[in-house]
Each structure stands twice: as structure tokens, then as C-alpha cells.
Amino acid sequence: SAVFVGSGVVFKLKKSVDLGFLDFTDRAARERFARRELEVNKSFAPELYRDVVPVTRAPGGGLELGGGGEAVDWVLRMAPVPAADFLDAVAARGELTPELLDGAADAVAAMHAALPPVTGVDAAAAMEAALDGTRRAALAAGLPAGRVEAWASAMAAALSERAPSLAARAAAGRVRRCHGDLHLKNLCLWRGRVTPFDALEFDEALATIDTGYDLAFLLMDLWHRLGRAAANRALNRYVARTGDAGLVGALPLWLSLRAAIRAHAEGGAAGLGYFAL
């Protein structure tokens, strides 16, 4: 997306791009996904997300926002957040305090508690599809092919071992329509509270996941940026809030997959750092 930041408003415009895992080249799709992004994130961050506004053709041929002419595109209108208040920036400054770690875990726990369980999901098959997609994306991003294939093989074996427990968790209501992209860049401080935003909107299957797998993205990023102790604090806080100690059985699998996803998304030296984790 192209994001235009003003003094009191932000406009987010989805680019006409096809990245393989998402396709925004169709104008109707851009409108649909803009509205879906608003719908999904309103429940997580109601004050950050305002509305969807058409970009319209003016009588003189120019463009305007919300005019009466033909809609040629759509923008999501949001509240601005200072760049220093995104949690990746807070972490980079060394200011992600124990209290903020607790706040992040509390925010995720509250978000998950508000989500209804989704039935009929084959959790192991969904993880298998995510693993295959990540393997292919990692290869396409230029990560070392031998290491990628060795990682994928080890992951497939781990997934096979954990398939029964994943199925049991799904049957117990742990699969929900989650955030889906819960790394530190997608949490911010809003009115002094840690707030998730920018939830995944373009693929329902990628976001309809075990709540433990959703949490794992945050834990992995904390481990990568701040060390294992920070991730452990957030995990313990989340388990204390939710009672879901059973998530730790699949946590090594989930953490590894989240690190590989971040690796191919970042690319370059940063990507190799995530892949090493």
C-alpha cells in the first residue's frame, strides 16, 4: 500500500499489484479488501480505523476524495500514529519495558477472547499448506535453497508429530479468525495502550488459525529483537490471562514457521537473520 500521512488523518491506498499471495490488480478487489480491512480492524483498533472513501473523477478530469463522480479507486481513512509509537521502533530504542510486554500480551489475550471459535477447520492441513507456501516463498526470495529444503523437511516431520494435538485444539475451539500478522510492526501505542492493527485482510484461510499460532508471531519477533526472556515474559503473561498452557506443545513449530515467513518478507541480511532463528 501507499500510505499518505497528514497532521490529523492517514489515507491508505492499496497498490495495483500481484504478489502471488495477494492480487490487488482488480479495482473491485481493492475496494472489497479495503472494506474488509476496515471491518476486521475495527474490532481490534476502533479508534484507529475510520472509514473507506472513494477516489472520484471530478468534472474537470482531476481526482477528488468522496466526490460525486465515478469512483476510480478507494482509500482507507485512519488516524495518524507517531512513528515512534510503533512497537518495533519502541523495541529498537530499548524501551519495550516489562510493563509494555505485559500490555502487549494482555492486548492479544483480550483480542483472542473476543473472537468466536471457527469449526470445521483441518488445523494440520492448514499448517501443511502454510508450510508449503512459505517454503516456495523462501526459495523465490533467494534464501539458501539447501537450508530452506532442510528446514521444510524438519518442519514436515514436526507437523506430523503434532497433528493430533492440533486437531484436539481445533475441536476445543482454539481456531478463530485471528489477526494473522502479529509482529511488532503491527502493534502500536494508542492512548497509552498497546493496540494491534493492520490485521491480515486478503486471505481468510491465512487468518483463520489457532490462537497460539497467532501469538507465536509476536513471541518470535520479541525473541529475534530482544531475546528469549522478553518472549518468555509475554508468553507467561498470555497463559496467565487465558489459561491456555497447552499451546506450548506446538510452539516450536509455530515459532519456526513465523520466523521463516518474516525471513522471506524481509529478504536480504534481515531475512537471513530471521531464517537463522
PDB file of all heavy atoms in Angstrom, residues 121-132 159 175 205-206 208-209 213 257:
ATOM      1  N   VAL A 121     -12.351 -26.674  10.629  1.00  0.00           N
ATOM      2  CA  VAL A 121     -11.024 -26.407  10.068  1.00  0.00           C
ATOM      3  C   VAL A 121     -10.104 -27.592  10.359  1.00  0.00           C
ATOM      4  O   VAL A 121      -9.984 -28.030  11.507  1.00  0.00           O
ATOM      5  CB  VAL A 121     -10.424 -25.117  10.656  1.00  0.00           C
ATOM      6  CG1 VAL A 121      -8.994 -24.916  10.162  1.00  0.00           C
ATOM      7  CG2 VAL A 121     -11.284 -23.912  10.302  1.00  0.00           C
ATOM      8  N   ASP A 122      -9.468 -28.115   9.320  1.00  0.00           N
ATOM      9  CA  ASP A 122      -8.442 -29.145   9.479  1.00  0.00           C
ATOM     10  C   ASP A 122      -7.131 -28.431   9.796  1.00  0.00           C
ATOM     11  O   ASP A 122      -6.431 -27.955   8.900  1.00  0.00           O
ATOM     12  CB  ASP A 122      -8.322 -29.971   8.192  1.00  0.00           C
ATOM     13  CG  ASP A 122      -7.372 -31.159   8.337  1.00  0.00           C
ATOM     14  OD1 ASP A 122      -6.451 -31.085   9.170  1.00  0.00           O
ATOM     15  OD2 ASP A 122      -7.541 -32.147   7.596  1.00  0.00           O
ATOM     16  N   ALA A 123      -6.827 -28.325  11.079  1.00  0.00           N
ATOM     17  CA  ALA A 123      -5.703 -27.499  11.513  1.00  0.00           C
ATOM     18  C   ALA A 123      -4.376 -27.987  10.952  1.00  0.00           C
ATOM     19  O   ALA A 123      -3.524 -27.182  10.544  1.00  0.00           O
ATOM     20  CB  ALA A 123      -5.651 -27.453  13.039  1.00  0.00           C
ATOM     21  N   ALA A 124      -4.165 -29.297  10.913  1.00  0.00           N
ATOM     22  CA  ALA A 124      -2.906 -29.826  10.395  1.00  0.00           C
ATOM     23  C   ALA A 124      -2.782 -29.565   8.898  1.00  0.00           C
ATOM     24  O   ALA A 124      -1.696 -29.195   8.408  1.00  0.00           O
ATOM     25  CB  ALA A 124      -2.808 -31.320  10.685  1.00  0.00           C
ATOM     26  N   ALA A 125      -3.870 -29.730   8.153  1.00  0.00           N
ATOM     27  CA  ALA A 125      -3.827 -29.463   6.712  1.00  0.00           C
ATOM     28  C   ALA A 125      -3.568 -27.992   6.437  1.00  0.00           C
ATOM     29  O   ALA A 125      -2.844 -27.639   5.492  1.00  0.00           O
ATOM     30  CB  ALA A 125      -5.128 -29.907   6.064  1.00  0.00           C
ATOM     31  N   ALA A 126      -4.149 -27.121   7.257  1.00  0.00           N
ATOM     32  CA  ALA A 126      -3.916 -25.690   7.085  1.00  0.00           C
ATOM     33  C   ALA A 126      -2.457 -25.339   7.342  1.00  0.00           C
ATOM     34  O   ALA A 126      -1.853 -24.533   6.615  1.00  0.00           O
ATOM     35  CB  ALA A 126      -4.829 -24.904   8.023  1.00  0.00           C
ATOM     36  N   MET A 127      -1.867 -25.954   8.368  1.00  0.00           N
ATOM     37  CA  MET A 127      -0.456 -25.719   8.646  1.00  0.00           C
ATOM     38  C   MET A 127       0.420 -26.272   7.531  1.00  0.00           C
ATOM     39  O   MET A 127       1.439 -25.672   7.162  1.00  0.00           O
ATOM     40  CB  MET A 127      -0.071 -26.353   9.980  1.00  0.00           C
ATOM     41  CG  MET A 127      -0.661 -25.692  11.197  1.00  0.00           C
ATOM     42  SD  MET A 127      -0.181 -23.949  11.381  1.00  0.00           S
ATOM     43  CE  MET A 127       1.577 -24.109  11.529  1.00  0.00           C
ATOM     44  N   GLU A 128       0.032 -27.423   6.977  1.00  0.00           N
ATOM     45  CA  GLU A 128       0.783 -28.003   5.865  1.00  0.00           C
ATOM     46  C   GLU A 128       0.777 -27.064   4.659  1.00  0.00           C
ATOM     47  O   GLU A 128       1.808 -26.864   4.003  1.00  0.00           O
ATOM     48  CB  GLU A 128       0.189 -29.351   5.485  1.00  0.00           C
ATOM     49  CG  GLU A 128       0.976 -30.104   4.422  1.00  0.00           C
ATOM     50  CD  GLU A 128       0.409 -31.473   4.120  1.00  0.00           C
ATOM     51  OE1 GLU A 128      -0.682 -31.794   4.617  1.00  0.00           O
ATOM     52  OE2 GLU A 128       1.075 -32.226   3.378  1.00  0.00           O
ATOM     53  N   ALA A 129      -0.378 -26.455   4.383  1.00  0.00           N
ATOM     54  CA  ALA A 129      -0.461 -25.503   3.274  1.00  0.00           C
ATOM     55  C   ALA A 129       0.388 -24.268   3.551  1.00  0.00           C
ATOM     56  O   ALA A 129       1.067 -23.756   2.655  1.00  0.00           O
ATOM     57  CB  ALA A 129      -1.917 -25.112   3.047  1.00  0.00           C
ATOM     58  N   ALA A 130       0.366 -23.789   4.794  1.00  0.00           N
ATOM     59  CA  ALA A 130       1.184 -22.630   5.152  1.00  0.00           C
ATOM     60  C   ALA A 130       2.668 -22.948   5.037  1.00  0.00           C
ATOM     61  O   ALA A 130       3.472 -22.123   4.571  1.00  0.00           O
ATOM     62  CB  ALA A 130       0.848 -22.176   6.569  1.00  0.00           C
ATOM     63  N   LEU A 131       3.040 -24.149   5.438  1.00  0.00           N
ATOM     64  CA  LEU A 131       4.438 -24.577   5.334  1.00  0.00           C
ATOM     65  C   LEU A 131       4.884 -24.629   3.879  1.00  0.00           C
ATOM     66  O   LEU A 131       5.961 -24.127   3.525  1.00  0.00           O
ATOM     67  CB  LEU A 131       4.607 -25.938   6.000  1.00  0.00           C
ATOM     68  CG  LEU A 131       5.950 -26.643   5.821  1.00  0.00           C
ATOM     69  CD1 LEU A 131       7.087 -25.782   6.324  1.00  0.00           C
ATOM     70  CD2 LEU A 131       5.927 -27.997   6.544  1.00  0.00           C
ATOM     71  N   ASP A 132       4.060 -25.217   3.020  1.00  0.00           N
ATOM     72  CA  ASP A 132       4.420 -25.314   1.608  1.00  0.00           C
ATOM     73  C   ASP A 132       4.520 -23.933   0.964  1.00  0.00           C
ATOM     74  O   ASP A 132       5.457 -23.663   0.209  1.00  0.00           O
ATOM     75  CB  ASP A 132       3.391 -26.168   0.862  1.00  0.00           C
ATOM     76  CG  ASP A 132       3.743 -26.333  -0.610  1.00  0.00           C
ATOM     77  OD1 ASP A 132       4.816 -26.896  -0.907  1.00  0.00           O
ATOM     78  OD2 ASP A 132       2.953 -25.883  -1.468  1.00  0.00           O
ATOM     79  N   LEU A 159       5.378 -31.345  12.114  1.00  0.00           N
ATOM     80  CA  LEU A 159       3.940 -31.195  11.919  1.00  0.00           C
ATOM     81  C   LEU A 159       3.227 -32.537  12.023  1.00  0.00           C
ATOM     82  O   LEU A 159       2.153 -32.647  12.622  1.00  0.00           O
ATOM     83  CB  LEU A 159       3.661 -30.544  10.563  1.00  0.00           C
ATOM     84  CG  LEU A 159       2.192 -30.410  10.152  1.00  0.00           C
ATOM     85  CD1 LEU A 159       1.404 -29.639  11.199  1.00  0.00           C
ATOM     86  CD2 LEU A 159       2.084 -29.723   8.796  1.00  0.00           C
ATOM     87  N   VAL A 175      -9.278 -22.547  17.271  1.00  0.00           N
ATOM     88  CA  VAL A 175      -9.139 -21.949  15.941  1.00  0.00           C
ATOM     89  C   VAL A 175     -10.162 -20.822  15.799  1.00  0.00           C
ATOM     90  O   VAL A 175     -11.360 -21.039  16.005  1.00  0.00           O
ATOM     91  CB  VAL A 175      -9.332 -22.994  14.829  1.00  0.00           C
ATOM     92  CG1 VAL A 175      -9.375 -22.328  13.457  1.00  0.00           C
ATOM     93  CG2 VAL A 175      -8.209 -24.023  14.879  1.00  0.00           C
ATOM     94  N   ALA A 205      -8.175 -17.813   4.913  1.00  0.00           N
ATOM     95  CA  ALA A 205      -7.557 -19.055   5.365  1.00  0.00           C
ATOM     96  C   ALA A 205      -6.287 -18.771   6.165  1.00  0.00           C
ATOM     97  O   ALA A 205      -6.014 -19.430   7.175  1.00  0.00           O
ATOM     98  CB  ALA A 205      -7.247 -19.961   4.175  1.00  0.00           C
ATOM     99  N   LEU A 206      -5.493 -17.791   5.730  1.00  0.00           N
ATOM    100  CA  LEU A 206      -4.254 -17.471   6.430  1.00  0.00           C
ATOM    101  C   LEU A 206      -4.512 -16.852   7.801  1.00  0.00           C
ATOM    102  O   LEU A 206      -3.629 -16.869   8.669  1.00  0.00           O
ATOM    103  CB  LEU A 206      -3.407 -16.506   5.596  1.00  0.00           C
ATOM    104  CG  LEU A 206      -2.714 -17.084   4.360  1.00  0.00           C
ATOM    105  CD1 LEU A 206      -1.943 -15.990   3.632  1.00  0.00           C
ATOM    106  CD2 LEU A 206      -1.785 -18.235   4.728  1.00  0.00           C
ATOM    107  N   THR A 208      -7.464 -17.583   9.620  1.00  0.00           N
ATOM    108  CA  THR A 208      -8.310 -18.477  10.415  1.00  0.00           C
ATOM    109  C   THR A 208      -7.424 -19.584  10.959  1.00  0.00           C
ATOM    110  O   THR A 208      -7.197 -20.608  10.308  1.00  0.00           O
ATOM    111  CB  THR A 208      -9.468 -19.035   9.567  1.00  0.00           C
ATOM    112  OG1 THR A 208     -10.197 -17.937   8.999  1.00  0.00           O
ATOM    113  CG2 THR A 208     -10.414 -19.861  10.417  1.00  0.00           C
ATOM    114  N   ILE A 209      -6.893 -19.349  12.137  1.00  0.00           N
ATOM    115  CA  ILE A 209      -5.780 -20.131  12.656  1.00  0.00           C
ATOM    116  C   ILE A 209      -5.942 -20.360  14.157  1.00  0.00           C
ATOM    117  O   ILE A 209      -6.800 -19.757  14.816  1.00  0.00           O
ATOM    118  CB  ILE A 209      -4.433 -19.414  12.397  1.00  0.00           C
ATOM    119  CG1 ILE A 209      -4.485 -17.982  12.934  1.00  0.00           C
ATOM    120  CG2 ILE A 209      -4.084 -19.424  10.924  1.00  0.00           C
ATOM    121  CD1 ILE A 209      -3.205 -17.192  12.796  1.00  0.00           C
ATOM    122  N   TYR A 213      -0.885 -19.991  17.319  1.00  0.00           N
ATOM    123  CA  TYR A 213      -0.096 -19.647  16.136  1.00  0.00           C
ATOM    124  C   TYR A 213      -0.127 -18.149  15.892  1.00  0.00           C
ATOM    125  O   TYR A 213       0.868 -17.562  15.455  1.00  0.00           O
ATOM    126  CB  TYR A 213      -0.641 -20.417  14.931  1.00  0.00           C
ATOM    127  CG  TYR A 213       0.093 -20.186  13.632  1.00  0.00           C
ATOM    128  CD1 TYR A 213       1.479 -20.197  13.575  1.00  0.00           C
ATOM    129  CD2 TYR A 213      -0.611 -19.961  12.447  1.00  0.00           C
ATOM    130  CE1 TYR A 213       2.152 -19.988  12.378  1.00  0.00           C
ATOM    131  CE2 TYR A 213       0.056 -19.758  11.246  1.00  0.00           C
ATOM    132  CZ  TYR A 213       1.428 -19.772  11.221  1.00  0.00           C
ATOM    133  OH  TYR A 213       2.087 -19.561  10.029  1.00  0.00           O
ATOM    134  N   LEU A 257       7.908 -21.465  11.893  1.00  0.00           N
ATOM    135  CA  LEU A 257       7.196 -21.059  10.685  1.00  0.00           C
ATOM    136  C   LEU A 257       7.054 -19.542  10.620  1.00  0.00           C
ATOM    137  O   LEU A 257       7.233 -18.933   9.557  1.00  0.00           O
ATOM    138  CB  LEU A 257       5.821 -21.727  10.644  1.00  0.00           C
ATOM    139  CG  LEU A 257       4.980 -21.498   9.387  1.00  0.00           C
ATOM    140  CD1 LEU A 257       5.762 -21.831   8.119  1.00  0.00           C
ATOM    141  CD2 LEU A 257       3.705 -22.330   9.454  1.00  0.00           C
TER     142      LEU A 257
END
